[in-house]
Amino acid sequence: MTHDPYSHALQLTADGQLRHFLTLDGLGKDLLTDILDTADSFIEVGERTIKNVPLLRGRTVVNLFFESSTRTRSTFELAAKRLSADVLNLDISTSATSKGESLSDTLLNLEAMASDMFVVRHSQSGAPHFIAESVTPGVAIINAGDGRHAHPTQAMLDMLTIRQRKHNFEGLKVAIVGDILHSRVARSQIRALNALGAAEIRVIAPATLLPSDIEALGCRVEYNMVEGMRDLDVVIMLRLQRERMAGALLPSEREFYRLYGLSQDKLALANPGCLVMHPGPINRGVEIESAVADGPQSVILNQVTNGIAVRMAVMSMAMSGQVEERSRLRQESGAL
Amino acid sequence: MTAMLDINRLLDDLEAGLRARLEERAITAPVLIGIRTGGVWLADILHRRLALADPLGELDISFYRDDFSRIGLNPRVTPSRLPFATEDRDIILVDDVIMSGRTIRAAMNEIFDYGRPASITLVTLIDLGARELPVQPDICGRTLTLAAHQRVKLRGPDPLHIELRDAL
């Protein structure tokens, strides 16, 4: 048997429910729609006086961040707290691994604290899969972004934001613009948009910021942003990941902004009411004009709010899958 | 048995019981909340009959069930909708069937997360007994004792009827 570091069968129970959430690969329209519907219910919870529901009461969620992040970590933390879970935040880059402890030993110690779920962010692609393969049965793993591979909760909160404004995905033309090469978000977004039935997905970027295999994911490449903006319903801007750029991929940031920055002029080429999205943090004047980021078509802050609801949905669904699986196994062993 | 479960007669009884209760308690402006799915159908009818000013509330108790650690999450959760402030209001909570009392426990917990109501009056169409919690309806259409092989279910919304059948 060959080892597949990205096996997506790992994240589903025998009857097709989530038990981990590692990637959008292999997840169909029905399951993605279930996630969005469940998230809708959590949005309603977020509007109440008391924003907590007792679903994960008594359970322990560990935020395991091997790579720093403010927005993702804090929305995961808030999501777990609103599900009434106990939350432990571990910033591993400043912790035991720097004292020489291996990843496996760190995990064993955390499992010994009776954790029920690990939310994992890692600079290495495939790290959450690796953890999901080795973790004790019953513990759910949620991918909070791994290397250049995937950032599935970000893609799902983007889908929720699009659905709130455009109501369905059929007929939608969506473009993802900028640093596709370093973007785990772009890969997950393309998967999600295809699964949900978007009409057309364009990636707009200079050749140096495009991975060579990107079209295989089901999207059209466009090098010219002026061409690429035509008939668009949604434009998703990506952050220029300067910290990941080894070597000269760009002539200059100014040149990048002139060609691929979202200005009011370029936005005017899209359909009226075209949504402007960005996973954050935004570099104003590098990939997006301030007036556009703060403008009436921008839903960038809605994305953040939706992030909490989507993460609540994914966490409760994965925990639910673990629970169902455990009771099924118990029944089977009882039947023997 | 079927004559006894005539939905229109039961609805008349619920309405009369509810009016008497509201009068006895001097409640003039109650709000109605139905528990999905059957409770919402009934609450909708009672809401029209009582001609209440506030819109109808709908509760999905999936996030408040006490059996998550045994059976997991309901795969089809829909958002609860309480389009009014519940603080200090007199609430009429409506469900189709009461048995263990666990659904009502969950519903009351959820209602309290919206605010502190002045009172909650519980209306159920059918009471099957077999209570596991100290929760009793204030107004009930009929009390039934089912044989082990029998099941009862409210079907609707149009036409609304009570299905009594033998389990397979």
Side-chain angles (χ1 to χ4, degrees):
Chain A
M1 199 177 80
T2 54
H3 175 76
D4 175 6
Y6 302 123
S7 165
H8 49 256
L10 190 61
Q11 64 184 346
L12 297 176
T13 64
D15 56 356
Q17 303 296 309
L18 283 183
R19 61 188 187 115
H20 303 297
F21 190 60
L22 306 173
T23 172
L24 297 178
D25 298 9
L27 301 186
K29 183 177 183 174
D30 288 350
L31 186 53
L32 298 191
T33 304
D34 283 349
I35 294 172
L36 297 180
D37 290 347
T38 306
D40 267 339
S41 290
F42 284 121
I43 288 201
E44 186 276 324
V45 171
E47 291 160 359
R48 299 182 191 175
T49 314
I50 294 172
K51 296 170 175 58
N52 295 20
V53 293
L55 270 184
L56 297 191
R57 200 160 66 92
R59 297 187 188 266
T60 304
V61 173
V62 181
N63 274 331
L64 214 49
F65 278 59
F66 296 89
E67 188 184 83
S68 67
S69 150
T70 309
R71 191 180 340 258
T72 304
R73 197 191 56 73
S74 51
T75 50
F76 263 113
E77 180 177 355
L78 210 47
K81 285 180 171 167
R82 288 192 179 172
L83 291 168
S84 306
D86 296 319
V87 187
L88 198 60
N89 289 313
L90 288 182
D91 189 356
I92 301 292
S93 54
T94 62
S95 168
T97 42
S98 58
K99 296 177 190 157
E101 191 179 58
S102 75
L103 174 58
S104 306
D105 281 331
T106 304
L107 290 172
L108 285 173
N109 277 280
L110 291 169
E111 285 174 33
M113 297 176 202
S115 306
D116 297 288
M117 182 179 292
F118 293 143
V119 176
V120 182
R121 154 78 59 108
H122 205 292
S123 58
Q124 202 82 43
S125 299
H129 289 73
F130 169 78
I131 295 172
E133 278 174 338
S134 56
V135 80
T136 310
V139 177
I141 308 298
I142 310 290
N143 185 355
D146 62 326
R148 297 182 186 185
H149 171 243
H151 195 352
T153 58
Q154 175 69 44
M156 289 311 292
L157 73 89
D158 295 333
M159 297 308 114
L160 185 65
T161 310
I162 294 173
R163 194 175 77 164
Q164 281 168 347
R165 303 302 170 107
K166 301 291 182 187
H167 308 296
N168 57 57
F169 294 88
E170 282 81 37
L172 280 191
K173 292 180 181 158
V174 182
I176 305 168
V177 185
D179 185 359
I180 313 285
L181 180 65
H182 299 96
S183 179
R184 51 193 171 214
V185 177
R187 280 170 187 72
S188 292
Q189 285 165 338
I190 295 167
R191 295 274 185 211
L193 286 164
N194 275 318
L196 290 166
E200 191 186 324
I201 305 159
R202 300 174 201 164
V203 291
I204 306 175
T208 49
L209 291 182
L210 278 170
S212 54
D213 56 344
I214 192 77
E215 278 162 314
L217 289 179
C219 59
R220 191 163 71 74
V221 169
E222 180 69 69
Y223 300 105
N224 182 332
M225 189 165 176
V226 171
E227 288 299 317
M229 290 299 292
R230 288 186 209 286
D231 314 318
L232 268 193
D233 300 300
V234 179
V235 56
I236 303 172
M237 301 304 300
L238 297 175
R239 184 175 66 90
L240 201 57
Q241 301 194 33
R242 285 171 284 190
E243 74 278 16
R244 290 187 214 269
M245 288 195 191
L249 294 173
L250 285 178
S252 75
E253 280 180 5
R254 240 176 103 176
E255 181 76 354
F256 180 81
Y257 179 70
R258 192 176 66 78
L259 293 171
Y260 296 100
L262 187 62
S263 60
Q264 285 176 301
D265 292 347
K266 290 206 196 83
L267 182 58
L269 300 170
N271 282 339
C274 174
L275 298 181
V276 174
M277 301 174 64
H278 193 303
I282 61 175
N283 295 316
R284 290 170 187 268
V286 176
E287 69 260 348
I288 189 164
E289 187 182 340
S290 260
V292 174
D294 304 328
Q297 285 164 261
S298 166
V299 290
I300 295 172
L301 293 177
N302 302 76
Q303 288 174 267
V304 180
T305 310
N306 287 339
I308 301 169
V310 158
R311 284 162 182 141
M312 288 172 81
V314 167
M315 288 169 136
S316 52
M317 287 170 77
M319 205 68 248
S320 174
Q322 295 284 355
V323 161
E324 282 174 47
E325 192 166 57
R326 214 176 326 176
S327 63
R328 187 177 53 82
L329 291 174
R330 205 177 297 136
Q331 273 175 7
E332 282 173 7
S333 64
L336 288 175
Chain B
M1 193 66 147
T2 27
M4 205 179 86
L5 292 175
D6 174 0
I7 183 76
N8 291 316
R9 272 183 51 193
L10 291 184
L11 279 166
D12 290 344
D13 292 350
L14 288 184
E15 183 190 344
L18 193 49
R19 284 185 187 281
R21 170 86 179 190
L22 295 176
E23 196 177 322
E24 175 197 320
R25 297 286 173 106
I27 295 171
T28 51
V31 288
L32 256 171
I33 298 174
I35 299 174
R36 286 209 181 93
T37 314
V40 172
W41 299 333
L42 295 169
D44 184 44
I45 295 169
L46 292 171
H47 186 261
R48 276 181 273 145
R49 290 192 180 193
L50 296 176
L52 298 180
D54 289 282
L56 180 66
E58 298 180 20
L59 222 49
D60 185 315
I61 56 123
S62 302
F63 296 149
Y64 290 79
R65 295 174 63 107
D66 60 8
D67 50 8
F68 178 82
S69 53
R70 291 197 297 176
I71 64 165
L73 186 65
N74 178 354
R76 291 277 177 277
V77 189
T78 46
S80 293
R81 201 163 43 227
L82 297 192
F84 40 74
T86 53
E87 191 75 22
D88 287 331
R89 298 298 298 271
D90 293 296
I91 290 172
I92 303 166
L93 181 61
V94 183
D95 203 5
D96 48 3
V97 176
I98 183 168
M99 202 162 91
S100 67
R102 289 176 192 270
T103 299
I104 304 302
R105 194 283 309 165
M108 287 199 288
N109 275 30
E110 180 160 5
I111 287 169
F112 272 78
D113 282 353
Y114 285 87
R116 180 181 185 274
S119 71
I120 299 178
T121 299
L122 178 60
V123 178
T124 59
L125 185 68
I126 293 166
D127 183 350
L128 294 179
R131 209 78 78 238
E132 292 164 7
L133 297 175
V135 176
Q136 315 302 338
D138 298 296
I139 296 133
C140 178
R142 286 291 181 279
T143 300
L144 285 183
T145 306
L146 296 185
H149 60 88
Q150 289 181 309
R151 298 288 181 273
V152 68
K153 192 164 174 55
L154 184 65
R155 298 279 182 191
D158 195 27
L160 198 62
H161 66 283
I162 299 163
E163 183 183 275
L164 188 69
R165 61 178 177 83
D166 288 338
L168 294 173

